Structure formats: C-alpha cells, structure tokens
Amino acid sequence: MDAKILYMNGEYIPTERGFISVRSHAFAYGTGVFEGIRGYWNEEQQQVHLFRLREHYERLHRSCKIMRINLPYTVEQLIEHSVDLVRRNEQRQDVYQRPVAYKSDEIIGVRLHGLNDDYILTSEPMGNYVEIGGLRCGVSSWRRIDDNAIPARAKICGSYVNAAFAKTEAIQNGFDEAIMLNHEGHVSEGSAENIFLFQNGELITPAPSENILLGITRDTIIQLAQKELGINVRERQIDRTELYTADEIFLCGTGAQIAPVIEVDHNPVGNGAIGPLGQKLQDLYFDIVRGRNSKYLDWCTPVYTGITASQK
C-alpha cells in the first residue's frame, strides 16, 4: 500500500502535507543527514520486520553530531516512530523508510551553526534498488569524497552528489553500477554500496580509513561470514587490479542488499556468474531479514506484534 501518512516534527500528517520550503537551508546547501531502513514482509507470519532499526538510528545520531544537527528524539523514540508509521500506513509488503534530519532555516549563507533543525520520516513500498542477480560494474573516473572534505562516515545529503556523478557515468558507459576509488587510488565503495572481494579463501573489504560509509549491511556480512560460514574477514587497502583477479565480488547496503558482481570493466569476475559464497550469503541474508532465522531475531523489529485495535 502506498504511503498515506508520514511523520514530521512531532506529528503524523497526510503525505500531501509533508513539504519543506524551497528556501530552506537543506535544499539550497545539502545540509541534512538521512538513513535508509528496510522492512521485509513475511507472508507466513503476516509480519513486517524492520531490519537493524536500532543500529540505523544510532548512526543517524552520529551523523547529526557531525553535522551539528539537534535531533530531539532518543533512539528508542525513533524506533517507535518507525514501527508506528508502518502500522498507520497499513503496509503489509516490503517497505523502505527514510528518516531525514535537516537545517530548515530559510536563509542565504553557508554555515552549520545557529540554524534550526527539523525532522521527517517517510515509509514507502520498495523492491530491489539494484540488480541482485549479477551486476556489471565499471571503475569510475570520479573519486570518492575524502573525510576532510565531506565526512563519508556520515550520511550527509549533499555528499550524494558525488555518488550521482559516478552512477550516471557508469550507466551511460553501459554498466549497471560504479566502483569508486579514493584519492590514493585504492578501492573505496560503489556509488551507494560497500564492497567485498573474495580471494585466496578470505573475504576482503576496504577499511574505514578508505573513506567508506560504515555500513550496517557491511557489518551484517562480516558477522555472518565469520560466525556462520567460518570465513576470515580482513579490512585493508584494496588495489584496483585486485578487482580483476578476485574469485567473487559483491556490493551491499540497505538499498542494494547483497548484490553479486559478475563483471568489472568488461572483465568477468570468477567464471562470470554468481559465486557460491555470494549465493550462500544472499540466501542467509534474506532468511534473516524476513524473520525466518531464529538466531538473529534480535536484528528484526516486528511491526504488528501486540497491535491494538485503535492502531489498525
């Protein structure tokens, strides 16, 4: 069901009333931060599971701190808003939630201090963000933003212009997605996804120092690879040419989920098909996010448990 209601500055309002001024600071300068949160529908349980909700809102708080945004809600209150919004929209399907905290003053002038802050949360149906049956990627000519320019560890609205350049270049060059390098020429991440390589029996991913977003799906994969599959995971610098020799590569993120890469710069990855590790992780991941794996139920926040008649 399409979203009828959103949450904005302390109240639930009809979606058509959820707007910001064209003169707002965030619109003019990109001075906002956001999260992407997925909810997965389980038909058998008649349940929507919001995945790793707490970790997303903890990261939103960290992003706000970096951007000097005052977020007047605790993590617990934000979790409650997310759950309640799905209920109020009567959504019984896969959903995507986007909480945004932003500078709302209608002024001209670049700064972060001395400005008012607002907050909005939306919840809408969403399928796959990228192809999860095999991506063809190209290394972008656009370099990943540096921590001393726009901090990559915060999900800052304005920083995604960097990703947009890379994504459009990739699509127009005939690829599905971009892989970005940092200013030292090391692999950083996709346009909006973290990246993993599997080679020599271990899983490798760029370290936080490589200007990556510290992804929650990335953390999920690290834990699953180590605990469930017994695979060593190493965070280190990755050279571009390692993309051409890896046995498997996959991108990951809340939007992308787990998306195996079958080609980089027209070079096949492995045998040019989804590899066994990518397939195992993908299957395990979808079991977990839909609430089918009892070991990881603490990662899933059920929406409709204990629902009252007044909330139906």
Side-chain angles (χ1 to χ4, degrees), residues 68-87:
R68 301 190 184 188
I69 292 173
N70 177 37
L71 186 59
Y73 309 109
T74 66
V75 169
E76 287 71 22
Q77 288 172 321
L78 294 167
I79 289 172
E80 182 181 344
H81 298 158
S82 272
V83 170
D84 198 27
L85 188 58
V86 176
R87 292 176 180 174

Side-chain angles (χ1 to χ4, degrees), residues 54-276:
R54 177 170 297 278
E55 290 87 347
H56 279 287
Y57 281 126
E58 287 173 347
R59 187 171 65 183
L60 182 66
H61 269 275
R62 293 193 296 272
S63 294
C64 285
K65 188 172 184 180
I66 289 172
M67 284 291 287
R68 301 190 184 188
I69 292 173
N70 177 37
L71 186 59
Y73 309 109
T74 66
V75 169
E76 287 71 22
Q77 288 172 321
L78 294 167
I79 289 172
E80 182 181 344
H81 298 158
S82 272
V83 170
D84 198 27
L85 188 58
V86 176
R87 292 176 180 174
R88 288 171 182 264
N89 279 308
E90 300 177 321
Q91 291 168 322
R92 295 179 178 270
Q93 63 206 116
D94 291 355
V95 298
Y96 178 85
Q97 295 195 328
R98 173 150 293 186
V100 185
Y102 59 97
K103 299 292 181 184
S104 57
D105 276 316
E106 299 178 9
I107 64 166
I108 295 173
V110 180
R111 68 176 194 269
L112 295 177
H113 66 281
L115 298 172
N116 290 314
D117 306 307
D118 281 350
Y119 175 76
I120 188 169
L121 171 66
T122 59
S123 182
E124 56 195 298
M126 184 176 184
N128 292 333
Y129 174 72
V130 297
E131 173 61 51
I132 62 173
L135 288 171
R136 290 174 168 82
C137 296
V139 175
S140 181
S141 66
W142 295 94
R143 295 299 173 98
R144 177 71 172 147
I145 51 174
D146 187 79
D147 188 68
N148 285 316
I150 302 177
R153 60 177 31 86
K155 285 181 71 70
I156 299 170
C157 296
S159 72
Y160 279 76
V161 171
N162 179 233
F165 277 121
K167 180 78 172 192
T168 290
E169 178 189 55
I171 298 296
Q172 292 182 341
N173 285 341
F175 299 109
D176 301 313
E177 185 54 270
I179 295 174
M180 303 185 73
L181 309 179
N182 62 21
H183 284 273
E184 286 71 49
H186 300 298
V187 175
S188 181
E189 58 178 45
S191 69
E193 310 91 3
N194 291 121
I195 188 170
F196 284 86
L197 282 66
F198 184 60
Q199 58 185 27
N200 301 322
E202 69 176 359
L203 205 53
I204 304 165
T205 191
S209 58
E210 304 306 297
N211 296 321
I212 67 169
L213 176 71
L214 295 175
I216 291 162
T217 310
R218 175 182 181 272
D219 176 71
T220 299
I221 288 173
I222 290 173
Q223 292 195 50
L224 295 180
Q226 293 173 332
K227 295 177 182 178
E228 301 298 323
L229 304 180
I231 294 173
N232 182 54
V233 181
R234 197 143 58 100
E235 298 175 284
R236 66 164 174 83
Q237 288 183 338
I238 297 174
D239 291 326
R240 175 177 181 167
T241 50
E242 292 185 78
L243 297 169
Y244 306 147
T245 61
D247 296 320
E248 296 187 41
I249 299 174
F250 53 88
L251 302 179
C252 69
T254 296
Q257 301 166 115
I258 297 178
V261 176
I262 59 174
E263 184 180 286
V264 177
D265 288 346
H266 305 295
N267 299 298
V269 176
N271 63 5
I274 297 176

Side-chain angles (χ1 to χ4, degrees), residues 9-26:
N9 297 328
E11 61 178 332
Y12 296 95
I13 61 174
T15 299
E16 61 269 18
R17 284 178 47 204
F19 61 88
I20 65 172
S21 169
V22 295
R23 297 179 60 241
S24 67
H25 202 268

